[in-house]
Amino acid sequence: MFRRLLQLLNREQKSKSVAKSRLQLILVQDRTGIDEEIMESLQIELTEVLSKYFILEREQVEVELEREQDSMALVANIPVLGTKVRHPVEA
Amino acid sequence: MGKVIVVTSGKGGVGKSTSTANLGTALAVLGKKVAVVDADVGLRNLDVIMGLESRVVYTSMDVLEGVCELEQALVKDRRTKDLYLLAASQKNNKSDIQPEQMKKLCLELKETHDYVLVDSPAGIEQGFQNAAAGADDALVVTTPEVAAVRDADRIIGLLQNMAINNLVLIINRLSPEMVKTGDMMEPTDIIDILSIDLIGVIPEDKEIVVSTNRGMPTTYNHKSDAGQAYKRIAQRLEGEDIPIPEFKSGGFAGWVGKLFKG
Ligand SMILES: Nc1ncnc2c1ncn2[C@@H]1O[C@H](COP(=O)(O)OP(=O)(O)O)[C@@H](O)[C@H]1O
Ligand SMILES: [Mg+2]
């Protein structure tokens, strides 16, 4: 509710905040050389592999490169509905 | 033995030449022996900003080709003691000079000067490579805009690859009013993103244009905010501890935002 109120007061996000978040996204791509396309195929392959072991909610899978200060993290949100493995997989 | 500092940015038109001219002048006013070097071969303009264009006889190209001695090519600025300009050739291309040659030139200059400021051309190609070749340190110039900061990030990466690790940032053309209303990124936003140290903020200032018209660096103008900001950067380069004024967004919306955030 506060959020709504704030949005009303602010009308729209200040342009400097938009600039900052756009920059952060651009720089993640610039610095790693990883673009949207690569992220997409990573997500598809990752989902493929994980599906061997888990029942996933495929439409909800999210994989993102995030940047904080001078470190980078691959952040994935992968909802699991169940598991497909009963026994530990043999090597 | 002095040091060579390359003034660079990636993006064009953000204030590299203006910064080189003003910092060179400010450092000389502080009593340092300074050489400013125009590395923008083919598009020289440092001589014009400094008002020395009519006295340029030789260029760095002439020195490299053995047409004259380095000493002869240095144009002495008559307004301030110990300030010299080495102009760039206007009729050559950036590819006519090799990084090794620039490096040698810089080495020679820093033997006799406290500071050698090299004004880099825009871009990340040969011209930039030449300008940075002999540098010990770098001043990265940006404006508070997305494209300029993006290019600054790229340049910082390239400088680090060249083992130039002492990098500091100048934010130029900042409008305190726009920062206040939240319509311009503030210095902390930019520092967060680039993660390098800030050495100064130069406000947007009409005096820059006026002084460039006159060929008289803004640093000489005691009433100009930008001129004074350059003076403070020179003092910080000299190791003086002078705080950087804060520019922050504020106003009603910001205040309400803080209140509700708790
Ligand atoms: N702080 C400032 N306030 C107003 N105008 C500025 C400021 N800094 C630079 N300028 C103007 O911006 C233009 C580009 O500056 P310049 O130093 O030539 O950039 P660069 O060398 O990076 O291409 C010039 O016309 C200059 O007068
Ligand atoms: Mg220039």
Short mmCIF file of all heavy atoms in Angstrom, two decimals, chain A residues 14-75:
data_model
loop_
_atom_site.label_atom_id
_atom_site.label_comp_id
_atom_site.label_asym_id
_atom_site.label_seq_id
_atom_site.Cartn_x
_atom_site.Cartn_y
_atom_site.Cartn_z
N LYS A 14 12.16 8.29 -11.12
CA LYS A 14 13.05 9.37 -11.54
C LYS A 14 14.00 8.87 -12.64
O LYS A 14 14.45 7.74 -12.61
CB LYS A 14 13.87 9.85 -10.34
CG LYS A 14 13.03 10.66 -9.36
CD LYS A 14 12.62 11.96 -10.01
CE LYS A 14 11.77 12.80 -9.08
NZ LYS A 14 11.27 14.01 -9.74
N SER A 15 14.33 9.75 -13.55
CA SER A 15 15.11 9.30 -14.70
C SER A 15 16.51 8.85 -14.31
O SER A 15 17.13 8.05 -14.98
CB SER A 15 15.15 10.37 -15.79
OG SER A 15 16.11 11.35 -15.49
N LYS A 16 17.02 9.38 -13.19
CA LYS A 16 18.37 8.95 -12.81
C LYS A 16 18.36 7.48 -12.35
O LYS A 16 19.33 6.76 -12.57
CB LYS A 16 18.92 9.85 -11.70
CG LYS A 16 18.42 9.54 -10.32
CD LYS A 16 19.56 9.54 -9.31
CE LYS A 16 19.13 8.89 -8.03
NZ LYS A 16 20.21 8.66 -7.12
N SER A 17 17.27 7.04 -11.74
CA SER A 17 17.19 5.64 -11.32
C SER A 17 17.08 4.73 -12.52
O SER A 17 17.66 3.64 -12.56
CB SER A 17 15.99 5.42 -10.41
OG SER A 17 15.96 6.39 -9.41
N VAL A 18 16.33 5.19 -13.51
CA VAL A 18 16.22 4.42 -14.75
C VAL A 18 17.61 4.32 -15.39
O VAL A 18 18.03 3.24 -15.80
CB VAL A 18 15.24 5.10 -15.74
CG1 VAL A 18 15.14 4.29 -17.02
CG2 VAL A 18 13.88 5.26 -15.09
N ALA A 19 18.32 5.45 -15.44
CA ALA A 19 19.66 5.47 -16.03
C ALA A 19 20.57 4.48 -15.32
O ALA A 19 21.28 3.69 -15.95
CB ALA A 19 20.26 6.87 -15.96
N LYS A 20 20.52 4.49 -13.99
CA LYS A 20 21.41 3.63 -13.23
C LYS A 20 21.11 2.15 -13.48
O LYS A 20 22.02 1.36 -13.71
CB LYS A 20 21.32 3.94 -11.73
CG LYS A 20 22.41 3.25 -10.94
CD LYS A 20 22.40 3.60 -9.48
CE LYS A 20 23.56 2.88 -8.78
NZ LYS A 20 23.55 3.08 -7.33
N SER A 21 19.84 1.78 -13.47
CA SER A 21 19.57 0.36 -13.65
C SER A 21 19.82 -0.08 -15.09
O SER A 21 20.27 -1.21 -15.32
CB SER A 21 18.17 -0.02 -13.18
OG SER A 21 17.22 0.88 -13.65
N ARG A 22 19.59 0.81 -16.04
CA ARG A 22 19.92 0.45 -17.43
C ARG A 22 21.42 0.22 -17.56
O ARG A 22 21.87 -0.75 -18.15
CB ARG A 22 19.48 1.56 -18.38
CG ARG A 22 18.01 1.56 -18.67
CD ARG A 22 17.63 2.72 -19.57
NE ARG A 22 18.19 2.60 -20.90
CZ ARG A 22 18.52 3.66 -21.66
NH1 ARG A 22 18.37 4.88 -21.20
NH2 ARG A 22 19.01 3.48 -22.86
N LEU A 23 22.19 1.13 -16.95
CA LEU A 23 23.65 1.01 -17.01
C LEU A 23 24.12 -0.31 -16.41
O LEU A 23 24.99 -0.98 -16.96
CB LEU A 23 24.27 2.15 -16.21
CG LEU A 23 25.02 3.20 -17.00
CD1 LEU A 23 25.41 4.34 -16.10
CD2 LEU A 23 26.23 2.63 -17.71
N GLN A 24 23.55 -0.65 -15.27
CA GLN A 24 23.99 -1.88 -14.60
C GLN A 24 23.77 -3.10 -15.49
O GLN A 24 24.62 -3.97 -15.58
CB GLN A 24 23.28 -2.03 -13.26
CG GLN A 24 23.98 -1.20 -12.18
CD GLN A 24 23.16 -1.03 -10.93
OE1 GLN A 24 21.93 -0.99 -11.00
NE2 GLN A 24 23.81 -0.92 -9.80
N LEU A 25 22.63 -3.11 -16.18
CA LEU A 25 22.35 -4.22 -17.08
C LEU A 25 23.30 -4.24 -18.27
O LEU A 25 23.84 -5.27 -18.64
CB LEU A 25 20.91 -4.14 -17.58
CG LEU A 25 19.89 -4.81 -16.69
CD1 LEU A 25 18.49 -4.59 -17.22
CD2 LEU A 25 20.19 -6.30 -16.59
N ILE A 26 23.48 -3.06 -18.86
CA ILE A 26 24.36 -2.94 -20.02
C ILE A 26 25.77 -3.43 -19.67
O ILE A 26 26.40 -4.17 -20.42
CB ILE A 26 24.45 -1.48 -20.51
CG1 ILE A 26 23.11 -1.03 -21.09
CG2 ILE A 26 25.55 -1.31 -21.55
CD1 ILE A 26 23.02 0.48 -21.33
N LEU A 27 26.24 -3.03 -18.48
CA LEU A 27 27.61 -3.36 -18.11
C LEU A 27 27.81 -4.84 -17.81
O LEU A 27 28.88 -5.38 -18.05
CB LEU A 27 28.07 -2.50 -16.93
CG LEU A 27 28.26 -1.02 -17.30
CD1 LEU A 27 28.86 -0.25 -16.15
CD2 LEU A 27 29.12 -0.85 -18.54
N VAL A 28 26.78 -5.48 -17.29
CA VAL A 28 26.89 -6.93 -17.09
C VAL A 28 27.16 -7.59 -18.43
O VAL A 28 28.05 -8.43 -18.57
CB VAL A 28 25.60 -7.51 -16.47
CG1 VAL A 28 25.58 -9.02 -16.61
CG2 VAL A 28 25.50 -7.13 -15.00
N GLN A 29 26.43 -7.15 -19.45
CA GLN A 29 26.64 -7.72 -20.79
C GLN A 29 28.00 -7.34 -21.36
O GLN A 29 28.72 -8.17 -21.89
CB GLN A 29 25.54 -7.24 -21.73
CG GLN A 29 24.20 -7.86 -21.39
CD GLN A 29 23.09 -7.41 -22.33
OE1 GLN A 29 23.34 -6.70 -23.28
NE2 GLN A 29 21.88 -7.83 -22.04
N ASP A 30 28.35 -6.05 -21.23
CA ASP A 30 29.64 -5.58 -21.75
C ASP A 30 30.80 -6.34 -21.12
O ASP A 30 31.74 -6.74 -21.78
CB ASP A 30 29.83 -4.09 -21.46
CG ASP A 30 29.03 -3.21 -22.41
OD1 ASP A 30 28.33 -3.77 -23.28
OD2 ASP A 30 29.12 -1.98 -22.28
N ARG A 31 30.74 -6.49 -19.81
CA ARG A 31 31.89 -7.04 -19.09
C ARG A 31 32.05 -8.54 -19.30
O ARG A 31 33.15 -9.06 -19.29
CB ARG A 31 31.75 -6.76 -17.59
CG ARG A 31 32.01 -5.31 -17.25
CD ARG A 31 31.70 -5.02 -15.80
NE ARG A 31 31.86 -3.59 -15.52
CZ ARG A 31 31.57 -3.05 -14.35
NH1 ARG A 31 31.12 -3.79 -13.37
NH2 ARG A 31 31.73 -1.75 -14.16
N THR A 32 30.93 -9.25 -19.47
CA THR A 32 31.04 -10.69 -19.60
C THR A 32 31.01 -11.12 -21.06
O THR A 32 31.43 -12.22 -21.39
CB THR A 32 29.87 -11.39 -18.90
OG1 THR A 32 28.66 -10.85 -19.44
CG2 THR A 32 29.90 -11.17 -17.41
N GLY A 33 30.48 -10.27 -21.92
CA GLY A 33 30.32 -10.65 -23.31
C GLY A 33 29.14 -11.60 -23.48
O GLY A 33 28.95 -12.22 -24.51
N ILE A 34 28.36 -11.75 -22.40
CA ILE A 34 27.20 -12.66 -22.47
C ILE A 34 25.94 -11.85 -22.75
O ILE A 34 25.59 -10.94 -22.01
CB ILE A 34 27.06 -13.44 -21.14
CG1 ILE A 34 28.23 -14.43 -21.03
CG2 ILE A 34 25.74 -14.15 -21.08
CD1 ILE A 34 28.26 -15.17 -19.74
N ASP A 35 25.29 -12.18 -23.84
CA ASP A 35 24.08 -11.43 -24.19
C ASP A 35 22.82 -12.25 -23.94
O ASP A 35 22.87 -13.38 -23.47
CB ASP A 35 24.15 -10.96 -25.65
CG ASP A 35 24.34 -12.12 -26.60
OD1 ASP A 35 24.04 -13.27 -26.20
OD2 ASP A 35 24.77 -11.89 -27.74
N GLU A 36 21.72 -11.66 -24.26
CA GLU A 36 20.39 -12.25 -24.06
C GLU A 36 20.31 -13.66 -24.65
O GLU A 36 19.82 -14.58 -24.01
CB GLU A 36 19.36 -11.34 -24.75
CG GLU A 36 18.01 -11.40 -24.12
CD GLU A 36 17.85 -10.34 -23.04
OE1 GLU A 36 18.83 -9.93 -22.40
OE2 GLU A 36 16.72 -9.94 -22.84
N GLU A 37 20.84 -13.79 -25.85
CA GLU A 37 20.74 -15.06 -26.58
C GLU A 37 21.45 -16.18 -25.83
O GLU A 37 20.92 -17.28 -25.67
CB GLU A 37 21.36 -14.87 -27.96
CG GLU A 37 20.77 -15.75 -29.03
CD GLU A 37 21.39 -15.40 -30.39
OE1 GLU A 37 21.43 -14.20 -30.71
OE2 GLU A 37 21.85 -16.31 -31.08
N ILE A 38 22.67 -15.87 -25.37
CA ILE A 38 23.45 -16.87 -24.64
C ILE A 38 22.73 -17.26 -23.35
O ILE A 38 22.66 -18.43 -22.99
CB ILE A 38 24.87 -16.33 -24.33
CG1 ILE A 38 25.60 -16.01 -25.64
CG2 ILE A 38 25.66 -17.33 -23.50
CD1 ILE A 38 26.98 -15.46 -25.47
N MET A 39 22.16 -16.27 -22.68
CA MET A 39 21.44 -16.54 -21.44
C MET A 39 20.26 -17.47 -21.71
O MET A 39 19.95 -18.36 -20.91
CB MET A 39 20.95 -15.24 -20.80
CG MET A 39 22.02 -14.42 -20.11
SD MET A 39 23.02 -15.33 -18.93
CE MET A 39 21.84 -15.55 -17.60
N GLU A 40 19.61 -17.26 -22.84
CA GLU A 40 18.45 -18.08 -23.17
C GLU A 40 18.84 -19.53 -23.39
O GLU A 40 18.21 -20.44 -22.85
CB GLU A 40 17.77 -17.52 -24.42
CG GLU A 40 16.26 -17.46 -24.30
CD GLU A 40 15.70 -16.47 -25.31
OE1 GLU A 40 15.46 -16.92 -26.45
OE2 GLU A 40 15.53 -15.28 -24.97
N SER A 41 19.92 -19.73 -24.16
CA SER A 41 20.28 -21.13 -24.43
C SER A 41 20.85 -21.77 -23.17
O SER A 41 20.65 -22.98 -22.95
CB SER A 41 21.25 -21.25 -25.61
OG SER A 41 22.39 -20.50 -25.39
N LEU A 42 21.48 -20.98 -22.31
CA LEU A 42 21.93 -21.51 -21.02
C LEU A 42 20.73 -22.00 -20.23
O LEU A 42 20.73 -23.10 -19.66
CB LEU A 42 22.67 -20.43 -20.22
CG LEU A 42 22.96 -20.78 -18.76
CD1 LEU A 42 24.00 -21.89 -18.65
CD2 LEU A 42 23.45 -19.57 -17.98
N GLN A 43 19.68 -21.20 -20.21
CA GLN A 43 18.48 -21.54 -19.45
C GLN A 43 17.84 -22.82 -19.98
O GLN A 43 17.45 -23.69 -19.20
CB GLN A 43 17.49 -20.37 -19.52
CG GLN A 43 16.25 -20.62 -18.69
CD GLN A 43 15.43 -19.34 -18.56
OE1 GLN A 43 15.98 -18.26 -18.45
NE2 GLN A 43 14.12 -19.48 -18.55
N ILE A 44 17.79 -22.95 -21.29
CA ILE A 44 17.19 -24.14 -21.90
C ILE A 44 17.99 -25.39 -21.54
O ILE A 44 17.44 -26.40 -21.09
CB ILE A 44 17.09 -23.98 -23.44
CG1 ILE A 44 16.05 -22.89 -23.75
CG2 ILE A 44 16.70 -25.31 -24.10
CD1 ILE A 44 16.04 -22.45 -25.19
N GLU A 45 19.32 -25.29 -21.68
CA GLU A 45 20.15 -26.45 -21.39
C GLU A 45 20.13 -26.83 -19.91
O GLU A 45 20.10 -27.99 -19.54
CB GLU A 45 21.59 -26.20 -21.84
CG GLU A 45 21.74 -26.28 -23.36
CD GLU A 45 23.18 -26.07 -23.80
OE1 GLU A 45 24.07 -26.69 -23.20
OE2 GLU A 45 23.39 -25.25 -24.72
N LEU A 46 20.13 -25.78 -19.10
CA LEU A 46 20.12 -25.98 -17.65
C LEU A 46 18.82 -26.70 -17.25
O LEU A 46 18.83 -27.67 -16.48
CB LEU A 46 20.19 -24.62 -16.96
CG LEU A 46 20.76 -24.57 -15.55
CD1 LEU A 46 22.19 -25.07 -15.53
CD2 LEU A 46 20.72 -23.12 -15.03
N THR A 47 17.71 -26.25 -17.79
CA THR A 47 16.41 -26.84 -17.50
C THR A 47 16.39 -28.30 -17.96
O THR A 47 15.87 -29.18 -17.26
CB THR A 47 15.29 -26.06 -18.24
OG1 THR A 47 15.53 -24.67 -18.05
CG2 THR A 47 13.93 -26.43 -17.69
N GLU A 48 17.01 -28.53 -19.12
CA GLU A 48 17.10 -29.88 -19.68
C GLU A 48 17.80 -30.82 -18.70
O GLU A 48 17.29 -31.87 -18.35
CB GLU A 48 17.90 -29.78 -20.99
CG GLU A 48 17.37 -30.61 -22.13
CD GLU A 48 15.87 -30.46 -22.31
OE1 GLU A 48 15.38 -29.34 -22.58
OE2 GLU A 48 15.20 -31.49 -22.14
N VAL A 49 18.96 -30.41 -18.24
CA VAL A 49 19.75 -31.24 -17.33
C VAL A 49 19.02 -31.47 -16.01
O VAL A 49 18.89 -32.60 -15.53
CB VAL A 49 21.12 -30.58 -17.04
CG1 VAL A 49 21.87 -31.35 -15.96
CG2 VAL A 49 21.95 -30.48 -18.31
N LEU A 50 18.48 -30.41 -15.46
CA LEU A 50 17.82 -30.51 -14.16
C LEU A 50 16.56 -31.37 -14.24
O LEU A 50 16.19 -32.04 -13.27
CB LEU A 50 17.49 -29.12 -13.62
CG LEU A 50 18.72 -28.30 -13.23
CD1 LEU A 50 18.35 -26.85 -12.92
CD2 LEU A 50 19.41 -28.92 -12.01
N SER A 51 15.94 -31.39 -15.42
CA SER A 51 14.70 -32.16 -15.59
C SER A 51 14.93 -33.67 -15.48
O SER A 51 14.00 -34.43 -15.28
CB SER A 51 14.07 -31.85 -16.94
OG SER A 51 13.75 -30.49 -16.99
N LYS A 52 16.19 -34.08 -15.64
CA LYS A 52 16.51 -35.50 -15.46
C LYS A 52 16.34 -35.90 -14.00
O LYS A 52 16.13 -37.06 -13.69
CB LYS A 52 17.97 -35.76 -15.87
CG LYS A 52 18.23 -35.72 -17.35
CD LYS A 52 19.63 -36.28 -17.58
CE LYS A 52 20.15 -35.84 -18.94
NZ LYS A 52 21.62 -36.00 -18.99
N TYR A 53 16.48 -34.95 -13.14
CA TYR A 53 16.47 -35.25 -11.70
C TYR A 53 15.23 -34.73 -10.99
O TYR A 53 14.82 -35.26 -9.98
CB TYR A 53 17.72 -34.67 -11.04
CG TYR A 53 19.00 -35.15 -11.68
CD1 TYR A 53 19.55 -34.50 -12.78
CD2 TYR A 53 19.64 -36.29 -11.18
CE1 TYR A 53 20.71 -34.96 -13.38
CE2 TYR A 53 20.80 -36.75 -11.77
CZ TYR A 53 21.34 -36.09 -12.86
OH TYR A 53 22.48 -36.55 -13.45
N PHE A 54 14.69 -33.62 -11.54
CA PHE A 54 13.56 -32.99 -10.86
C PHE A 54 12.39 -32.76 -11.80
O PHE A 54 12.57 -32.65 -13.01
CB PHE A 54 13.98 -31.63 -10.29
CG PHE A 54 15.06 -31.70 -9.27
CD1 PHE A 54 16.37 -31.39 -9.61
CD2 PHE A 54 14.78 -32.09 -7.96
CE1 PHE A 54 17.38 -31.46 -8.68
CE2 PHE A 54 15.79 -32.15 -7.02
CZ PHE A 54 17.10 -31.84 -7.37
N ILE A 55 11.23 -32.69 -11.23
CA ILE A 55 10.08 -32.24 -11.99
C ILE A 55 10.00 -30.74 -11.78
O ILE A 55 9.83 -30.26 -10.65
CB ILE A 55 8.78 -32.91 -11.50
CG1 ILE A 55 8.94 -34.44 -11.58
CG2 ILE A 55 7.59 -32.43 -12.31
CD1 ILE A 55 7.96 -35.18 -10.68
N LEU A 56 10.20 -29.99 -12.85
CA LEU A 56 10.30 -28.53 -12.73
C LEU A 56 9.05 -27.84 -13.24
O LEU A 56 8.35 -28.36 -14.12
CB LEU A 56 11.49 -28.01 -13.53
CG LEU A 56 12.86 -28.56 -13.19
CD1 LEU A 56 13.90 -27.93 -14.11
CD2 LEU A 56 13.21 -28.27 -11.74
N GLU A 57 8.83 -26.69 -12.73
CA GLU A 57 7.78 -25.84 -13.28
C GLU A 57 8.47 -24.99 -14.36
O GLU A 57 8.94 -23.88 -14.11
CB GLU A 57 7.22 -24.95 -12.16
CG GLU A 57 5.82 -24.50 -12.45
CD GLU A 57 5.22 -23.80 -11.24
OE1 GLU A 57 5.67 -24.08 -10.10
OE2 GLU A 57 4.35 -22.97 -11.44
N ARG A 58 8.56 -25.56 -15.53
CA ARG A 58 9.42 -25.02 -16.59
C ARG A 58 9.18 -23.56 -16.94
O ARG A 58 10.12 -22.83 -17.22
CB ARG A 58 9.29 -25.87 -17.85
CG ARG A 58 10.11 -27.14 -17.77
CD ARG A 58 9.87 -28.00 -18.99
NE ARG A 58 10.75 -29.14 -19.00
CZ ARG A 58 11.78 -29.29 -19.84
NH1 ARG A 58 12.05 -28.38 -20.73
NH2 ARG A 58 12.54 -30.36 -19.77
N GLU A 59 7.92 -23.17 -16.93
CA GLU A 59 7.62 -21.79 -17.35
C GLU A 59 8.13 -20.75 -16.34
O GLU A 59 8.28 -19.58 -16.66
CB GLU A 59 6.11 -21.57 -17.53
CG GLU A 59 5.57 -22.07 -18.86
CD GLU A 59 5.49 -23.59 -18.89
OE1 GLU A 59 4.86 -24.14 -17.97
OE2 GLU A 59 6.10 -24.20 -19.79
N GLN A 60 8.37 -21.23 -15.11
CA GLN A 60 8.74 -20.29 -14.06
C GLN A 60 10.26 -20.16 -13.88
O GLN A 60 10.71 -19.38 -13.05
CB GLN A 60 8.13 -20.72 -12.72
CG GLN A 60 6.61 -20.85 -12.75
CD GLN A 60 5.95 -19.51 -12.88
OE1 GLN A 60 6.33 -18.55 -12.23
NE2 GLN A 60 4.95 -19.43 -13.76
N VAL A 61 11.00 -20.94 -14.64
CA VAL A 61 12.46 -20.92 -14.47
C VAL A 61 13.05 -19.57 -14.88
O VAL A 61 12.71 -19.02 -15.93
CB VAL A 61 13.12 -22.05 -15.29
CG1 VAL A 61 14.64 -21.92 -15.28
CG2 VAL A 61 12.71 -23.40 -14.73
N GLU A 62 13.89 -19.04 -14.02
CA GLU A 62 14.55 -17.75 -14.31
C GLU A 62 16.04 -17.86 -14.05
O GLU A 62 16.44 -18.30 -12.98
CB GLU A 62 14.01 -16.66 -13.38
CG GLU A 62 12.77 -15.96 -13.89
CD GLU A 62 12.24 -15.00 -12.84
OE1 GLU A 62 12.91 -14.80 -11.79
OE2 GLU A 62 11.16 -14.45 -13.07
N VAL A 63 16.85 -17.47 -15.01
CA VAL A 63 18.30 -17.45 -14.81
C VAL A 63 18.81 -16.06 -15.19
O VAL A 63 18.52 -15.58 -16.28
CB VAL A 63 19.02 -18.52 -15.65
CG1 VAL A 63 20.50 -18.53 -15.34
CG2 VAL A 63 18.42 -19.89 -15.39
N GLU A 64 19.54 -15.44 -14.27
CA GLU A 64 20.01 -14.07 -14.54
C GLU A 64 21.41 -13.86 -14.02
O GLU A 64 21.80 -14.43 -13.01
CB GLU A 64 19.08 -13.06 -13.86
CG GLU A 64 17.97 -12.58 -14.75
CD GLU A 64 16.96 -11.76 -13.96
OE1 GLU A 64 17.21 -11.48 -12.76
OE2 GLU A 64 15.94 -11.39 -14.56
N LEU A 65 22.15 -13.02 -14.76
CA LEU A 65 23.46 -12.59 -14.27
C LEU A 65 23.24 -11.32 -13.48
O LEU A 65 22.66 -10.36 -13.99
CB LEU A 65 24.38 -12.29 -15.44
CG LEU A 65 25.43 -13.32 -15.82
CD1 LEU A 65 26.26 -12.79 -16.95
CD2 LEU A 65 26.31 -13.67 -14.63
N GLU A 66 23.69 -11.30 -12.25
CA GLU A 66 23.52 -10.08 -11.47
C GLU A 66 24.86 -9.56 -11.01
O GLU A 66 25.82 -10.32 -10.85
CB GLU A 66 22.60 -10.34 -10.28
CG GLU A 66 21.16 -10.39 -10.72
CD GLU A 66 20.21 -10.63 -9.56
OE1 GLU A 66 20.66 -10.61 -8.40
OE2 GLU A 66 19.02 -10.86 -9.85
N ARG A 67 24.91 -8.26 -10.80
CA ARG A 67 26.17 -7.65 -10.45
C ARG A 67 26.04 -6.83 -9.17
O ARG A 67 25.12 -6.07 -9.01
CB ARG A 67 26.62 -6.73 -11.57
CG ARG A 67 28.07 -6.47 -11.51
CD ARG A 67 28.50 -5.47 -12.53
NE ARG A 67 29.62 -4.79 -11.95
CZ ARG A 67 29.55 -3.60 -11.39
NH1 ARG A 67 28.43 -2.95 -11.38
NH2 ARG A 67 30.62 -3.07 -10.85
N GLU A 68 26.98 -7.08 -8.28
CA GLU A 68 27.00 -6.27 -7.06
C GLU A 68 28.40 -5.76 -6.88
O GLU A 68 29.35 -6.53 -6.86
CB GLU A 68 26.61 -7.11 -5.85
CG GLU A 68 25.11 -7.17 -5.64
CD GLU A 68 24.77 -8.10 -4.49
OE1 GLU A 68 25.57 -8.19 -3.54
OE2 GLU A 68 23.72 -8.73 -4.58
N GLN A 69 28.55 -4.45 -6.74
CA GLN A 69 29.88 -3.84 -6.62
C GLN A 69 30.81 -4.43 -7.67
O GLN A 69 30.54 -4.29 -8.83
CB GLN A 69 30.44 -4.05 -5.20
CG GLN A 69 29.58 -3.43 -4.13
CD GLN A 69 29.66 -1.90 -4.14
OE1 GLN A 69 30.54 -1.32 -4.73
NE2 GLN A 69 28.70 -1.24 -3.49
N ASP A 70 31.84 -5.15 -7.25
CA ASP A 70 32.74 -5.68 -8.27
C ASP A 70 32.69 -7.20 -8.38
O ASP A 70 33.62 -7.82 -8.85
CB ASP A 70 34.18 -5.18 -8.06
CG ASP A 70 34.57 -5.18 -6.61
OD1 ASP A 70 33.81 -5.74 -5.80
OD2 ASP A 70 35.64 -4.63 -6.29
N SER A 71 31.60 -7.79 -7.92
CA SER A 71 31.48 -9.24 -8.11
C SER A 71 30.22 -9.56 -8.91
O SER A 71 29.31 -8.75 -9.00
CB SER A 71 31.44 -9.94 -6.75
OG SER A 71 30.28 -9.58 -6.07
N MET A 72 30.20 -10.72 -9.46
CA MET A 72 29.10 -11.11 -10.33
C MET A 72 28.52 -12.43 -9.86
O MET A 72 29.23 -13.27 -9.36
CB MET A 72 29.66 -11.24 -11.75
CG MET A 72 28.66 -11.13 -12.82
SD MET A 72 28.92 -9.65 -13.79
CE MET A 72 30.61 -9.80 -14.28
N ALA A 73 27.22 -12.62 -10.03
CA ALA A 73 26.62 -13.88 -9.62
C ALA A 73 25.58 -14.33 -10.63
O ALA A 73 24.88 -13.53 -11.22
CB ALA A 73 25.98 -13.73 -8.24
N LEU A 74 25.54 -15.63 -10.82
CA LEU A 74 24.51 -16.22 -11.66
C LEU A 74 23.38 -16.59 -10.70
O LEU A 74 23.54 -17.44 -9.83
CB LEU A 74 25.08 -17.46 -12.34
CG LEU A 74 24.30 -18.04 -13.50
CD1 LEU A 74 24.13 -17.01 -14.61
CD2 LEU A 74 25.02 -19.26 -14.05
N VAL A 75 22.24 -15.93 -10.86
CA VAL A 75 21.14 -16.17 -9.94
C VAL A 75 20.03 -16.91 -10.67
O VAL A 75 19.53 -16.46 -11.69
CB VAL A 75 20.61 -14.85 -9.37
CG1 VAL A 75 19.48 -15.12 -8.40
CG2 VAL A 75 21.72 -14.09 -8.68
#
